[in-house]
Amino acid sequence: MTLPSHDAWIHTSHTLLPTWKSLSLSHQSAIPISISRVNQVDAARLDVEMSAMLKEQLVKVFSLMKPGMLFQYEAELDAFLEFLIWRFSIWVDKPTPGIALMNLRYRDERAVEPRDKVRTGLEGPGLTVAQKIWYCVATVGGQYIWARLQSFSAFRRWGDTEQRPLARRLWILIQRIEGVYRAASFGNLLIFLCTGRYRNLIERALRARLVYGSPNMNRAVSFEYMNRQLVWNEFSEMLLLLLPLLNSSSVKNLLRPFSKDKSSSSSEDGSACPICLATPTIPYVALPCQHRYCYYCLRTRCAAAPSFRCSRCSEPVVAMQRHSGGPTE
């Protein structure tokens, strides 16, 4: 057995060196980039809000139809709206409305460019036709079938102990599948928070990653706008909660000394109704304080609040009397 010459080792190393470099580049083909997790989550929430807005407008179109008709086909309506969004966004290589507002797009991670052909790390082809179809099947068809299956099983009461063994087993199987899916989604969420890739299981299975559409473009929805909307929503909910609890007449009496001058108070001491501030057409007086009101103003206030107090002196009104007639309870 003869040993190879020294030149043979050198020739073999020169032959294998290009192959080794190509293999190392294939393993390190993509530039590591960091996509904001907040942008990705906000894009999902904006897509949900967009679907809700479209659904609200579509429901208004059928508002004159038979009540409860759309409730029977709610799952079909949701699937139709999701299909429309997919058809005019992802199918034509465009981002969904929420993804577009966050300056994101889908990229096929299985076909990333080599490192020597990229500049920013955001390059790469979009989703293939197969990925788009599977995305539609999973998001539109999968959610529709699961919603219908759950409603059908609940309507048939498969979970009752009096049901047949087969129906009971199917109910247990549905519950286990749902539990496994929720656990897998929770695990994917933890991985997403660590790595910033693939918000849900569908994106992870299809290797469809969200990357920035333009490296020099900011998000279209700023945090200031979102914070302002959040504060306004909370403030409006607080007002809706507190306003029914306030007594309007007591608030007016409390603010009356600060909101009127002497001229208005002197005119108010005359013959004007303290509620509508006009001359009473059918004058009535409140008993026992004898202050004059319009009949309809005093009657409606006494009917709405049995413990109504006079708007001038805050004395309880026990009866009402025509200005020149007998008392009326």
Side-chain angles (χ1 to χ4, degrees):
M1 181 177 180
T2 60
L3 295 174
S5 62
H6 182 68
D7 296 337
W9 291 105
I10 297 176
H11 178 71
T12 305
S13 64
H14 285 298
T15 304
L16 297 177
L17 184 60
T19 306
W20 172 255
K21 289 183 178 180
S22 62
L23 290 175
S24 62
L25 287 176
S26 64
H27 288 290
Q28 301 177 354
S29 57
I31 296 178
I33 56 175
S34 177
I35 308 299
S36 174
R37 297 162 180 79
V38 176
N39 285 21
Q40 300 183 58
V41 175
D42 286 348
R45 293 301 306 169
L46 288 172
D47 286 334
V48 172
E49 294 296 332
M50 179 65 67
S51 300
M53 292 174 58
L54 293 176
K55 183 179 179 180
E56 181 181 359
Q57 297 299 324
L58 192 59
V59 168
K60 288 182 179 179
V61 174
F62 298 97
S63 60
L64 299 179
M65 299 182 64
K66 180 180 178 181
M69 181 178 178
L70 288 180
F71 180 76
Q72 301 177 358
Y73 303 100
E74 186 175 4
E76 285 78 7
L77 180 61
D78 293 338
F80 175 70
L81 293 177
E82 293 293 336
F83 176 79
L84 286 181
I85 295 176
W86 171 84
R87 171 61 181 82
F88 294 102
S89 59
I90 296 179
W91 178 250
V92 294
D93 293 327
K94 293 182 179 180
T96 61
I99 294 177
L101 286 174
M102 294 295 106
N103 183 30
L104 299 172
R105 71 176 182 89
Y106 275 119
R107 183 180 74 178
D108 185 9
E109 285 294 284
R110 302 175 303 176
V112 292
E113 296 290 338
R115 183 183 281 266
D116 55 350
K117 295 183 180 181
V118 299
R119 293 179 299 173
T120 62
L122 303 177
E123 294 84 353
L127 302 183
T128 62
V129 177
Q131 286 177 313
K132 297 175 184 177
I133 294 176
W134 280 112
Y135 186 92
C136 177
V137 170
T139 56
V140 181
Q143 293 180 5
Y144 168 72
I145 293 174
W146 184 253
R148 273 302 178 190
L149 182 61
Q150 284 187 326
S151 61
F152 181 79
S153 61
F155 178 76
R156 295 289 182 175
R157 295 187 298 180
W158 286 358
D160 295 347
T161 56
E162 296 81 5
Q163 292 292 334
R164 293 173 297 178
L166 179 59
R168 181 66 179 174
R169 291 176 183 176
L170 289 176
W171 175 260
I172 295 175
L173 179 61
I174 292 174
Q175 296 300 316
R176 289 182 178 178
I177 292 175
E178 184 177 4
V180 171
Y181 177 78
R182 290 181 180 275
S185 299
F186 179 73
N188 181 81
L189 176 62
L190 296 179
I191 298 175
F192 167 74
L193 294 177
C194 294
T195 62
R197 297 187 179 188
Y198 311 120
R199 299 173 299 176
N200 49 53
L201 295 175
I202 298 175
E203 295 179 357
R204 186 171 296 278
L206 297 178
R207 298 293 302 277
R209 185 187 179 187
L210 285 175
V211 296
Y212 292 120
S214 175
N216 300 321
M217 180 178 176
N218 297 325
R219 30 185 291 147
V221 180
S222 63
F223 286 109
E224 294 181 0
Y225 174 78
M226 299 171 66
N227 293 335
R228 187 163 57 249
Q229 289 296 110
L230 181 61
V231 171
W232 172 248
N233 289 336
E234 295 298 329
F235 181 70
S236 60
E237 291 180 1
M238 183 186 67
L239 289 181
L240 291 177
L241 178 64
L242 295 180
L243 285 180
L245 304 178
L246 298 177
N247 190 349
S248 58
S249 60
S250 61
V251 173
K252 288 182 180 179
N253 293 331
L254 180 64
L255 299 178
R256 192 179 302 276
F258 306 98
S259 60
K260 294 186 177 181
D261 52 10
K262 296 181 179 180
S263 60
S264 61
S265 61
S266 60
S267 62
E268 189 174 337
D269 292 336
S271 61
C273 174
I275 297 178
C276 64
L277 302 180
T279 303
T281 54
I282 306 177
Y284 266 69
V285 294
L287 298 179
C289 63
Q290 298 292 328
H291 286 128
R292 287 207 298 177
Y293 290 84
C294 295
Y295 169 75
Y296 294 106
C297 294
L298 186 58
R299 171 60 75 182
T300 53
R301 292 302 176 92
C302 292
S307 59
F308 173 69
R309 293 177 177 270
C310 178
S311 301
R312 294 187 185 274
C313 60
S314 299
E315 188 174 353
V317 177
V318 297
M320 52 186 293
Q321 175 184 343
R322 192 178 180 93
H323 193 267
S324 61
T328 303
E329 296 295 334

